[in-house]
């Protein structure tokens, strides 16, 4: 081949180029971004609207419908999932893959700003639009612990640490949580306002006017420009207290005359503890494409120095540091990589020391070239890309082994060194290119998997593809060059002792089987067909789970209180759970979050927003804890909390892959809440009666009770009271109204809140003795125009693409897979009698599988199949040759499925990757046999002679490449990570069965249907 001739004859150039690759590859290895998981940027956004004190029904009418109408009108929208609860509406907006993520974010933000200014209620507390990305994960969680420090001291300490960490350029979203912010609170006496006949609007207007910060602009004076400073924001509580709210008839009324003004903490809505101790949590995120190890070197000194400066009654504990987990995980994979190299070296012994050395030199150079390309494409070093490199390690030596072994064979036959290098490489060159092309095409569909699961997994196939392509270039250039320098002519043709024994073993193993197989070809093929059918039949026995659970030594406990439980009751029950966790010595940290979810510490679990009847505990074990130990603890805790009388306790492990609410989710669509409630109850019964389901949740099994302030509009109009004014007074009494902000002593903006005198939490007394001013300023008692009563309302309202639905969810118990359970559940759901216009859809794992394996993925598979066949046609120019080569694939599947069953792993996306990759590896091995058989027939050998010689000659490199691949994969198969191990298990099982059986089936298939061969004089042999 020309490239080989060029590389050998221009050896100085070849040497310099590969030295350059070595240096750049080495630098790339240490400069590439490192992270635990691949960086993902799906076109998904989360819009959160917080409107305290608003019922789900009111939220739906006033907030949800306007936002959904606006968002649904945007281009390339895929789906909108809306969840409406008390005072909170969350919109999960997903666009079709391929759109510009940043542009869509700007588009949504613009629309939200426009809506807030025009259609949405003016007193909404917060509208937040967020991009969903892997970088949302907090890489650091620090707890500032104190049982006796004041709120202000703890808050100031947390704020100081936040300020220091924010100065690190590679960090983002530095936040603290678990302690209420300080505010200036104005406890207004409505009775005094009523006596003075001062309208509430006048008070609010005066405060908002004084709080406004309007720049004065600039003026020219001689040759200079001076900025004009105005009064600015409130400076302190005295500023607020001395605000003039009324000035008429020589009478001046100050704010302090009708209210108590002072510094207070905001209403407590989130309580945090670590290992049972009161604390504040400080969390830190990291920007994309950054090396987490380098970032750790920046923040650790700051945290340690800050810890020394703290007062004695405040202690700092670094409870979560993802950088340590990344180092540990990459360290384990690094060990696996080293072990794989050692095993590969051992398998290369039959080639001889010089040939083995050449192959060993080709390994780091192929990996270096692959790393350079990956870095250029923007991929990071993470658990999946490193797995791809370890898998590639077993595959990339194939090309070098095949080339070196062929050169060695020519040398053993007595050819000169240059003839052996050039002609030996030329003889095998086309087969090597064809083998590499088929392998790359096999992994190509995985690089184009759609949706977020495809983006998550993409670095794995890309690592394999780039490394294997690099290995082909190295095998066709550097290996022949090194062979021309280091290899020598053999004195005897049998090779070294390792080669001789291996050759004898292979010959003896097949000496009796092969003649019989060739004598009874149809019987042999019938047996192989039976084995293939068995292989496909065993698929069902493995079960299916798209992504496995995480092996990380941590999990979550969700505490779901009875409906409408307050924060105090949720805290009481959380303490009971903490008391139990304290008894388990294997638990290092347990971080309680009452009223809110723990800050995000896993890439696909987003924290629960404020909810008084919810609490969550983040549990961490020792770093070296095995997944089996964690699973056993989870099972013990589930059993312990199963009969908890006060709340529903869910002990949940983290799941890999796309975010899932639950394994099984049944969505019931329809408009009438009463009908939906009835149907959801029936679905709940089905799930509860299904063996293998746990933690069944039905949001509609109970209604909640709201306090209804019903205004008599006729009476209100008669008395000159506007309904909006009455609503404003109620809001003022219960939740308070933010009328401005001030700058505290640390330079941060804090709220100025107007409310009525109350305790820590509002109660029913807040609605007593309220007055509303009419348009003349005369105070009217609220109870004159309104009745206070209780009414039932739904706990939550859900929309999917603007259609209302109810949902019933369940998790699969240990030893059960959602797909297996659904085969029994779906027929029962289909038998439900639903009114016209009502129907169900499955979400959870089922929807995730459809997103990951449907649509575009099928198109890519079809395209790759045609490319696969096209490459083989170029190689053999006949369909018979393709059928012979492809006939081995089902036999490899047999070994992969059997080993999965023995290991107890289910079929998964990673296992599917293994089977797809396996097809490429098998075809590669079979192609070598068929290609050489064709060459021998072209040289004049009969079919039987060609089959016999090719089987003896080419089966040795096939066995060597298979053994090296298997040895390279063994460390991965033994890895405890369930995301990694199934891939290696499938490949090992498939390689074992296909390597053993290909020596029988491929020659027999060739004899049964020999392809046409063109010889030099253009005569065609059949």
């Amino acid at each position: 081949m020309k490239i080989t001739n060029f590389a050998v004859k221009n050896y100085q150039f070849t040497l310099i180029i590969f030295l350059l690759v070595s240096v750049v590859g080495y630098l790339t290895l240490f400069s590439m971004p490192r992270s635990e998981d691949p960086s993902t940027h799906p076109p998904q956004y989360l819009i959160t609207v917080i409107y305290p004190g608003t019922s789900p029904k009111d939220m739906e009418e006033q907030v949800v419908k306007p936002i959904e109408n606006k968002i649904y009108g945007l281009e390339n929208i895929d789906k909108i999932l809306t969840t409406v609860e008390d005072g909170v509406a969350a919109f999960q907006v997903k666009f079709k893959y391929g759109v510009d993520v940043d542009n869509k974010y700007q588009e949504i933000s613009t629309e939200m700003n426009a809506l807030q200014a025009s259609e949405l209620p003016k007193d909404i507390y917060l509208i937040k639009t967020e991009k969903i990305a892997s970088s949302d994960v907090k890489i650091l969680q620090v707890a500032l612990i104190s049982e006796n420090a004041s709120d202000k001291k703890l808050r100031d300490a947390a704020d100081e640490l936040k300020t220091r960490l924010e100065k690190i350029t590679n960090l983002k979203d530095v936040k603290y949580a678990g302690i209420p912010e300080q505010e200036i609170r104005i406890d207004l006496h409505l009775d005094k306002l009523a006596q003075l006949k001062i309208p509430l609007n006048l008070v609010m207007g005066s405060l908002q006017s004084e709080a406004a910060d309007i720049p004065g602009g600039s003026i020219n004076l001689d040759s200079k420009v001076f900025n004009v400073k105005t009064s600015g924001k409130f400076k302190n509580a005295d500023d607020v207290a001395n605000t003039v709210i009324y000035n008429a008839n020589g009478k001046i009324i100050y704010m302090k005359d009708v209210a108590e003004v002072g510094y207070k903490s905001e209403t407590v809505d989130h309580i945090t503890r670590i290992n049972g101790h009161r604390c504040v949590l400080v969390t830190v995120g990291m920007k994309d494409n950054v090396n987490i190890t380098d970032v750790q070197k920046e923040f650790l000194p700051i945290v340690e120095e800050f810890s020394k400066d703290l007062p004695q009654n405040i202690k700092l504990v670094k409870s979560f540091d993802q950088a340590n987990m990344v180092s540990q995980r990459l360290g384990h994979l690094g060990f696996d990589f080293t072990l794989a190299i050692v095993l590969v070296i051992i398998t290369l012994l039959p080639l001889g020391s010089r040939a083995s050395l050449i192959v060993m030199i080709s390994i780091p150079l192929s990996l270096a070239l692959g790393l350079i390309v990956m870095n250029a494409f923007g991929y990071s070093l993470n658990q999946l890309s490193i797995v791809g490199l370890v898998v590639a390690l077993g595959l990339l030596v194939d090309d070098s082994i095949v080339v070196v072994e062929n050169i060695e064979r020519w040398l053993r036959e007595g050819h000169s060194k240059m003839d052996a290098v050039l002609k030996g490489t030329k003889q095998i060159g086309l087969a090597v290119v064809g083998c590499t092309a088929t392998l790359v095409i096999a992994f190509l569909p995985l690089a184009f998997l759609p949706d977020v699961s495809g983006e998550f997994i993409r670095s794995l196939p890309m690592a394999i593809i780039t490394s294997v392509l690099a290995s082909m270039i190295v095998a066709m250039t550097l290996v022949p060059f090194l062979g021309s320098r280091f290899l020598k002519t053999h004195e005897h043709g049998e090779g070294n002792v390792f080669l001789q024994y291996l050759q004898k073993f292979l010959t003896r193993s097949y000496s009796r089987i092969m003649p019989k197989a060739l004598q009874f070809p149809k019987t042999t093929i019938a047996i192989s067909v039976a084995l293939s059918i068995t292989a496909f039949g065993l698929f069902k026995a493995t079960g299916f789970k798209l992504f496995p659970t995480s092996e990380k030594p941590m999990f979550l406990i969700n505490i779901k209180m009875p409906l409408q439980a307050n924060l105090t009751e949720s805290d009481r029950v959380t303490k009971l759970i903490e008391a139990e966790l304290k008894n388990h010595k294997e638990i290092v940290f347990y971080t309680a979050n009452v009223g809110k979810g723990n800050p995000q510490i896993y890439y696909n679990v987003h924290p629960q927003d404020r909810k008084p009847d919810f609490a969550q505990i983040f549990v961490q074990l020792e770093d070296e804890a095995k997944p089996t130990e964690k699973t056993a603890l989870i099972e013990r805790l589930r059993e312990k909390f199963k009969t908890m009388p006060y709340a529903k306790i869910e002990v949940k492990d983290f799941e890999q892959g796309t975010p899932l609410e639950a394994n099984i989710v049944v969505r019931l669509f329809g408009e009438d809440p009463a009908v939906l409630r009835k149907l959801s109850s029936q679905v709940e019964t089905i799930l509860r009666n299904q063996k293998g389901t746990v933690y069944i949740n039905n949001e509609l099994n109970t209604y909640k009770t709201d306090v209804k302030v019903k205004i008599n509009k006729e009476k209100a109009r008669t008395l000159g009271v506007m309904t909006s004014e009455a609503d404003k007074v109620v809001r003022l009494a219960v939740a308070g109204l933010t009328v401005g902000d001030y700058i505290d002593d640390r330079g941060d903006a804090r709220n100025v809140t107007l409310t009525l005198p109350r305790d820590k939490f509002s109660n029913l007394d807040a609605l007593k003795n309220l007055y509303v001013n009419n348009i003349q300023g005369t105070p009217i008692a609220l109870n004159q125009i309104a009745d206070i009563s209780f009414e039932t309302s739904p706990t939550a309202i859900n929309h999917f693409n603007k259609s209302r639905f109810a949902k019933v969810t369940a998790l699969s118990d240990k030893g059960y897979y959602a797909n297996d359970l659904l085969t029994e559940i779906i027929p029962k759901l289909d038998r439900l009698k639903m009114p016209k216009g009502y129907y169900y859809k499955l979400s959870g794992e089922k929807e995730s599988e459809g997103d990951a394996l449907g649509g575009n993925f099928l198109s890519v598979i079809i395209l790759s199949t045609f490319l696969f066949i096209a490459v083989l046609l170029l190689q053999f120019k006949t369909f018979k040759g393709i059928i012979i080569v492809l006939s081995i694939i089902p036999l490899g599947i047999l070994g992969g499925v059997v080993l999965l069953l023995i290991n107890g792993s289910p079929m998964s996306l990673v296992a599917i990757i293994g089977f797809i990759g396996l097809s490429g590896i098998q075809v590669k091995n079979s192609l070598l046999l068929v290609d050489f058989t064709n060459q021998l027939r072209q040289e004049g050998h009969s079919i039987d002679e060609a089959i016999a010689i090719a089987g003896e000659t080419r089966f040795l490199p096939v066995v060597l490449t298979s053994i090296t691949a298997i040895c390279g994969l063994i460390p991965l198969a033994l890895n405890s990570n369930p995301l990694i191990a199934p891939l290696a298990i499938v490949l090992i099982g498939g390689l074992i069965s296909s390597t053993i059986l290909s020596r029988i089936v491929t020659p027999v298939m060739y004899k049964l249907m020999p392809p046409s061969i063109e010889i030099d004089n253009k005569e065609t042999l059949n």
Side-chain angles (χ1 to χ4, degrees):
M1 297 185 83
K2 289 182 180 179
I3 189 171
T4 304
N5 291 342
F6 180 86
V8 173
K9 291 174 181 177
N10 298 278
Y11 67 90
Q12 300 97 330
F13 178 79
T14 305
L15 189 62
I16 288 297
I17 289 296
F18 280 101
L19 281 174
L20 174 65
V21 168
S22 303
V23 173
V24 175
Y26 179 82
L27 294 174
T28 301
L29 177 63
F30 291 100
S31 63
M32 276 181 80
R34 295 179 188 218
S35 58
E36 185 163 31
D37 297 299
S39 177
T40 56
H41 296 88
Q44 296 180 26
Y45 309 88
L46 181 64
I47 303 170
T48 307
V49 181
I50 298 177
Y51 193 10
T54 312
S55 69
K57 192 173 180 181
D58 290 340
M59 285 288 285
E60 183 182 37
E61 291 299 323
Q62 298 176 34
V63 175
V64 171
K65 288 183 179 178
I67 291 178
E68 282 184 342
N69 289 335
K70 184 64 73 174
I71 298 298
Y72 211 67
L74 299 178
E75 296 291 331
N76 296 310
I77 196 78
D78 186 18
K79 58 180 80 167
I80 304 174
L81 179 63
T82 309
T83 304
V84 190
E85 295 180 344
D86 270 335
V88 179
F91 305 80
Q92 295 178 44
V93 182
K94 183 181 177 184
F95 290 87
K96 292 172 183 173
Y97 256 76
V99 301
D100 189 298
V101 175
D102 292 323
N103 281 352
K104 283 297 175 189
Y105 176 72
Q106 293 299 330
E107 201 173 335
I108 291 175
S109 299
T110 302
E111 295 295 351
M112 286 299 99
N113 291 335
L115 271 175
Q116 192 170 9
S118 57
E119 297 182 44
L120 298 179
K122 304 301 178 192
D123 53 346
I124 284 176
Y125 174 73
L126 176 69
I127 297 181
K128 182 171 62 173
T129 305
E130 302 169 275
K131 282 189 282 190
I132 294 177
S134 56
S135 59
D136 295 337
V137 174
K138 306 305 180 187
I139 64 163
L140 177 69
Q141 184 163 299
V142 171
L144 298 177
I145 304 170
S146 178
E147 296 293 356
N148 52 23
S150 66
D151 282 0
K152 187 176 188 316
K153 280 239 175 126
L154 265 180
R155 186 168 49 238
D156 286 348
D159 199 39
E160 173 63 25
L161 179 58
K162 173 179 178 284
T163 303
R164 294 190 192 185
L165 290 171
E166 282 176 331
K167 292 175 183 175
I168 299 174
T169 54
N170 288 324
L171 295 181
K172 67 171 191 176
D173 294 335
V174 185
K175 295 177 180 176
Y176 61 85
I179 198 155
E181 294 289 357
Q182 188 185 62
E183 66 179 1
I184 293 178
R185 205 164 89 191
I186 307 164
D187 288 343
L188 194 62
H189 295 289
L190 284 183
D191 53 343
K192 289 185 180 179
L193 279 186
Q195 289 169 14
L196 296 167
K197 295 187 178 181
I198 299 174
L200 178 60
N201 266 352
L202 190 61
V203 177
M204 290 178 61
S206 301
L207 287 167
Q208 288 166 345
S209 174
E210 288 296 312
D213 190 7
I214 303 169
S218 60
I219 57 172
N220 289 328
L221 190 59
D222 294 333
S223 60
K224 294 187 177 180
V225 176
F226 294 87
N227 289 331
V228 178
K229 290 188 176 181
T230 56
S231 56
K233 297 176 184 269
F234 289 126
K235 300 293 186 297
N236 50 44
D238 288 339
D239 270 3
V240 177
N242 291 320
T243 300
V244 175
I245 60 167
Y246 186 79
N247 186 356
N249 304 321
K251 195 176 185 181
I252 298 176
I253 306 294
Y254 296 96
M255 191 75 249
K256 61 187 177 184
D257 296 329
V258 294
E260 294 170 14
V261 181
Y263 296 104
K264 290 186 180 177
S265 291
E266 292 180 350
T267 303
V268 177
D269 58 11
H270 183 200
I271 299 169
T272 52
R273 281 187 299 274
I274 185 165
N275 292 2
H277 301 292
R278 171 180 175 249
C279 72
V280 179
L281 297 179
V282 181
T283 55
V284 178
M286 184 180 76
K287 293 177 183 175
D288 273 330
N289 300 317
V290 176
N291 190 327
I292 193 170
T293 308
D294 293 340
V295 175
Q296 187 189 41
K297 290 175 185 174
E298 291 185 78
F299 70 65
L300 269 186
I302 291 174
V303 172
E304 287 168 6
E305 183 184 346
F306 179 78
S307 179
K308 294 173 186 174
D309 296 339
L310 285 170
Q312 286 189 343
N313 63 339
I314 300 177
K315 182 185 175 187
L316 184 147
V317 172
K318 183 165 65 72
S319 58
F320 178 77
D321 186 350
Q322 196 187 70
N324 290 339
M325 301 180 82
V326 171
S327 298
Q328 185 184 3
R329 177 171 285 186
L330 298 188
H332 280 312
L333 286 171
F335 174 78
D336 292 345
F337 196 82
T338 306
L339 181 59
I341 287 180
V342 171
L343 292 172
V344 167
I345 291 171
I346 293 170
T347 61
L348 293 175
L349 290 174
L351 285 178
S353 57
R354 290 171 182 263
S356 298
L357 179 64
I358 291 172
V359 174
M360 289 311 301
I361 291 172
S362 73
I363 291 173
L365 282 169
S366 300
L367 291 173
L369 193 53
L371 273 179
I372 292 167
V373 176
M374 279 194 72
N375 190 43
F377 280 126
Y379 291 96
S380 67
L381 273 179
N382 55 69
Q383 60 166 331
L384 288 174
S385 60
I386 290 180
V387 168
L389 292 172
V390 178
V391 171
L393 174 66
L395 305 179
L396 59 83
V397 293
D398 288 10
D399 293 337
S400 297
I401 287 174
V402 169
V403 171
V404 168
E405 193 278 335
N406 208 48
I407 293 171
E408 283 278 271
R409 186 173 63 81
W410 277 62
L411 288 171
R412 287 196 298 272
E413 290 173 1
H415 295 277
S416 68
K417 188 189 290 187
M418 196 54 70
D419 274 357
V421 168
L422 296 178
K423 293 181 180 178
T425 305
K426 183 181 179 181
Q427 184 188 45
I428 201 73
L430 202 58
V432 167
V433 172
C435 288
T436 304
T438 55
L439 192 59
V440 168
I441 290 168
F443 280 101
L444 206 58
L446 306 169
F448 292 96
L449 266 171
D451 214 75
V452 67
S453 55
E455 192 177 2
F456 177 73
I457 211 91
R458 192 161 295 139
S459 56
L460 193 157
M462 284 303 296
I464 296 173
I465 289 169
T466 55
S467 300
V468 168
L469 283 172
S471 76
M472 181 189 73
I473 295 169
V474 170
M476 302 306 294
T477 54
L478 185 72
V479 169
F481 156 64
L482 292 175
S484 69
R485 298 287 157 180
F486 294 121
L487 296 180
K488 61 180 183 180
T489 307
H490 293 274
E491 295 177 1
H492 50 84
E494 291 83 14
N496 65 22
V497 65
F498 297 106
L499 182 63
Q500 291 173 34
Y501 275 107
L502 180 61
Q503 195 74 60
K504 284 178 184 176
F505 171 75
L506 294 176
T507 304
R508 287 175 184 172
S509 300
Y510 290 93
S511 58
R512 294 183 181 179
I513 300 172
M514 279 309 303
K516 289 185 179 179
L518 291 168
Q519 188 181 354
F520 304 103
K522 291 182 180 178
T523 305
T524 304
I525 297 305
I527 292 170
S528 69
V529 168
L531 289 173
S532 301
I533 293 169
T534 304
F536 288 106
L538 288 173
F539 268 113
K540 192 174 180 182
T542 62
F544 184 83
K545 185 174 174 63
L546 190 66
F547 281 102
T549 53
S550 169
E551 88 294 357
K552 286 186 181 182
M554 58 190 197
F555 57 90
L556 293 173
I557 299 176
N558 290 337
I559 302 166
K560 296 183 176 180
M561 299 295 295
L563 197 60
Q564 293 182 278
N566 61 25
L567 197 69
T568 305
E569 180 64 10
S570 299
D571 192 39
R572 183 185 71 82
V573 174
T574 304
K575 286 177 179 176
L576 295 176
I577 308 299
E578 290 174 277
E580 173 60 30
L581 297 178
K582 191 176 181 180
N583 298 328
H584 295 270
K585 301 301 179 188
E586 61 268 49
I587 296 175
V588 180
F589 294 114
Y590 49 95
T591 308
N593 290 264
V594 185
K596 200 176 180 184
N598 192 80
Q600 186 173 351
I601 35 75
Y602 197 70
Y603 69 93
N604 65 5
V605 178
H606 301 285
Q608 168 71 49
D609 268 317
R610 303 174 191 187
K611 204 177 180 203
D613 54 8
F614 175 85
Q616 188 175 73
I617 302 177
F618 172 40
V619 181
Q620 295 168 265
L621 310 181
E622 290 282 358
D623 288 343
E624 295 297 331
K626 295 177 182 176
T628 50
E629 294 171 1
K630 178 184 71 168
T631 305
L633 176 60
I634 287 174
E635 290 305 313
R636 289 201 302 273
L637 292 174
R638 280 181 175 177
E639 193 62 34
K640 180 75 178 177
F641 299 137
K642 189 187 288 184
T643 55
M644 170 70 80
Y646 308 108
K648 182 184 287 185
I649 313 299
E650 296 180 355
V651 187
K652 295 178 72 173
D653 204 351
F654 291 102
E655 299 265 349
Q656 300 272 15
T658 51
L660 289 179
E661 182 182 4
N663 305 116
I664 300 168
V665 180
V666 181
R667 291 176 179 166
L668 295 157
F669 289 86
E671 289 303 314
D672 190 338
V675 176
L676 286 178
R677 189 182 187 202
K678 182 182 175 184
L679 291 172
S680 67
S681 179
Q682 294 172 356
V683 172
E684 181 184 355
T685 303
I686 291 171
L687 295 184
R688 285 195 185 280
N689 293 336
Q690 176 63 48
K691 188 179 178 183
T693 58
V694 292
Y695 299 147
I696 291 86
N697 279 315
N698 176 12
E699 292 174 339
L700 297 186
N701 60 5
T702 54
Y703 279 135
K704 69 185 188 65
T705 304
D706 288 334
V707 177
K708 175 70 175 176
V709 180
K710 189 174 183 181
I711 297 170
N712 187 322
K713 294 189 177 180
E714 284 188 22
K715 193 181 284 188
R717 278 196 293 268
T718 304
L719 294 171
V721 177
M722 295 176 68
T723 305
S724 60
E725 291 301 307
D727 290 342
K728 200 175 287 181
V729 168
V730 172
R731 172 96 186 165
L732 176 79
V734 176
L737 292 167
T738 301
V739 291
D741 57 19
Y742 72 101
I743 304 299
D744 69 2
D745 52 3
R746 293 193 52 78
D748 295 320
R750 306 292 183 202
N751 288 335
V752 177
T753 303
L754 184 65
T755 184
L756 299 187
R758 55 183 164 85
D759 296 325
K760 195 174 182 182
F761 299 102
S762 295
N763 55 37
L764 205 55
D765 291 339
L767 297 176
K768 293 179 180 178
N769 303 318
L770 296 184
Y771 296 91
V772 186
N773 291 90
N774 64 11
I775 50 179
Q776 286 84 29
T778 306
I780 307 294
L782 183 66
N783 57 17
Q784 278 188 260
I785 59 168
D787 296 317
I788 297 172
S789 60
F790 292 95
E791 71 171 19
T792 57
S793 64
T795 55
I797 297 172
N798 303 295
H799 289 187
F800 181 77
N801 288 351
K802 297 172 72 175
S803 298
R804 181 184 280 188
F805 73 91
K807 64 184 173 186
V808 186
T809 65
L811 295 183
S812 51
D813 206 353
K814 184 184 177 184
Y816 292 89
Y817 299 113
N819 277 277
D820 297 335
L821 296 174
L822 284 171
T823 56
E824 298 179 38
I825 291 169
I826 290 173
K828 296 173 185 175
L829 294 174
D830 289 337
R831 286 196 291 270
L832 285 176
K833 293 179 181 178
M834 296 193 185
K836 189 178 180 181
Y838 290 80
Y839 57 95
Y840 82 89
K841 279 186 179 180
L842 293 174
S843 184
E845 284 190 19
K846 203 70 178 173
E847 185 181 39
S848 182
E849 288 164 22
D851 289 341
L853 302 176
N856 294 339
F857 182 58
L858 186 61
S859 305
V860 174
I861 286 284
I862 293 169
L863 176 64
S864 297
T865 303
F866 278 99
L867 282 173
F868 208 78
I869 293 169
V871 168
L872 293 175
L873 274 174
L874 281 174
Q875 186 78 25
F876 299 117
K877 299 179 177 60
T878 168
F879 284 102
K880 285 184 178 179
I882 295 173
I883 294 169
I884 295 167
V885 168
L886 297 181
S887 64
I888 197 65
I889 289 177
L891 300 175
I893 289 172
L894 174 67
V897 175
V898 168
L899 214 58
L900 269 183
L901 283 169
I902 292 170
N903 182 258
S905 299
M907 188 62 62
S908 62
L909 181 60
V910 177
I912 290 170
I913 290 173
F915 281 110
I916 292 172
L918 182 63
S919 64
I921 300 167
Q922 291 172 278
V923 166
K924 189 175 182 179
N925 290 340
S926 191
L927 192 149
L928 286 171
L929 285 169
V930 176
D931 178 72
F932 193 51
T933 309
N934 289 345
Q935 287 185 35
L936 291 169
R937 287 179 64 202
Q938 283 179 324
E939 291 170 7
H941 292 279
S942 68
I943 290 176
D944 288 341
E945 287 176 345
I947 288 171
I949 296 168
E952 289 293 323
T953 306
R954 278 287 176 265
F955 193 54
L956 177 64
V958 167
V959 169
L960 280 176
T961 54
S962 294
I963 292 173
T964 52
I966 289 167
C967 288
L969 291 164
I970 285 172
L972 286 184
L974 298 175
N975 196 300
S976 60
N977 189 341
L979 185 66
I980 294 171
L983 173 66
I985 288 165
V986 166
L987 289 174
I988 289 172
L991 281 168
I992 290 171
S993 63
S994 66
T995 303
I996 293 170
L997 295 173
S998 66
R999 180 68 176 88
I1000 301 168
V1001 175
T1002 303
V1004 170
M1005 285 290 292
Y1006 197 99
K1007 185 173 182 178
L1008 278 176
M1009 46 189 307
S1012 301
I1013 299 295
E1014 288 185 5
I1015 56 176
D1016 293 340
N1017 59 6
K1018 303 298 179 184
E1019 181 185 347
T1020 302
L1021 293 175
N1022 292 313

